[in-house]
Amino acid sequence: MANKSTLSEIEKRFDNDVDRFSNLQTGQASTVDALFNMELITDGIAQLYPDLTQFLDIGCGAGNYTVKLLSKLNTAPNVTLADLSQPMLDRAKERSASLTDGEVTTIKGDFRKLPLQENTYDVIIATAVLHHLRDDEDWEMAFAKLYRLLKPGGSLWVFDLVSHDEPKIQYLLYRQKYGQFLANLKDENYRDHVFDYIISKGKTVHAAHNTK
């Protein structure tokens, strides 16, 4: 776990990259299918929760998923935005507040330690954030907390980076497919920069939907 970024390193990186992570057209360009998954997850939530009232976005960044979801709802839910980066939270709140008559609350910090109220949320979104977790105990504690935050019938929607057990598939998906995607997005230097940063390397988990 020595190669895992510290919380302060993650915060600093995102403090300085708000504009790029506000791009709905690329879905933050975190993976090859980031935009597809943003549409899939937000469409799914809108279909399953037409009366959504309480929504939590952990590691919300500049609020792309929240903005996309709110644009598809007929209700005006209360929104809670959590992130390590205050500039990201400020941008996410600015973008979200005009899309709901509900309360938009921001809370800065590591979601594992934030004083969030249990049995509160219809939906929690965790996109490109859980790969920062460390060992098995960390994962278990994080998911246990997220479960406690959900109302009965609530659900957790996860989109993230994972590695594949088969080395050849991992190489195909990561070095070839994802590498070419990043190079086409900008250039090879950008590809190498992203590869240097990524903690858990590999393909995406497509719209993982866990229901309480």
Side-chain angles (χ1 to χ4, degrees), residues 141-182:
M141 291 177 63
F143 272 87
K145 175 166 185 173
L146 292 172
Y147 180 84
R148 292 194 301 270
L149 295 176
L150 289 168
K151 296 177 181 178
S155 58
L156 168 65
W157 299 72
V158 178
F159 168 61
D160 218 312
L161 305 167
V162 298
S163 60
H164 201 286
D165 290 338
E166 170 52 57
K168 292 182 179 179
I169 299 298
Q170 172 72 1
Y171 183 84
L172 172 66
L173 292 171
Y174 177 68
R175 283 292 174 181
Q176 293 185 354
K177 299 295 185 180
Y178 188 38
Q180 189 60 55
F181 167 77
L182 293 172

Side-chain angles (χ1 to χ4, degrees), residues 37-68:
N37 278 283
M38 182 166 62
E39 295 288 355
L40 179 61
I41 287 176
T42 52
D43 280 344
I45 294 170
Q47 288 290 324
L48 289 175
Y49 297 90
D51 300 317
L52 183 67
T53 60
Q54 295 284 351
F55 165 63
L56 170 64
D57 188 347
I58 63 170
C60 65
N64 282 356
Y65 271 78
T66 295
V67 168
K68 183 65 71 171

Side-chain angles (χ1 to χ4, degrees), residues 104-186:
V104 179
T105 302
T106 62
I107 183 165
K108 182 180 182 301
D110 180 350
F111 79 91
R112 294 168 295 181
K113 300 177 181 179
L114 293 177
L116 298 165
Q117 186 172 351
E118 296 183 3
N119 194 34
T120 295
Y121 301 101
D122 302 298
V123 166
I124 300 174
I125 288 181
T127 58
V129 61
L130 296 180
H131 63 275
H132 292 297
L133 296 172
R134 268 60 179 174
D135 53 24
D136 289 346
E137 182 181 6
D138 203 12
W139 280 87
E140 291 169 4
M141 291 177 63
F143 272 87
K145 175 166 185 173
L146 292 172
Y147 180 84
R148 292 194 301 270
L149 295 176
L150 289 168
K151 296 177 181 178
S155 58
L156 168 65
W157 299 72
V158 178
F159 168 61
D160 218 312
L161 305 167
V162 298
S163 60
H164 201 286
D165 290 338
E166 170 52 57
K168 292 182 179 179
I169 299 298
Q170 172 72 1
Y171 183 84
L172 172 66
L173 292 171
Y174 177 68
R175 283 292 174 181
Q176 293 185 354
K177 299 295 185 180
Y178 188 38
Q180 189 60 55
F181 167 77
L182 293 172
N184 290 341
L185 194 64
K186 193 171 182 181

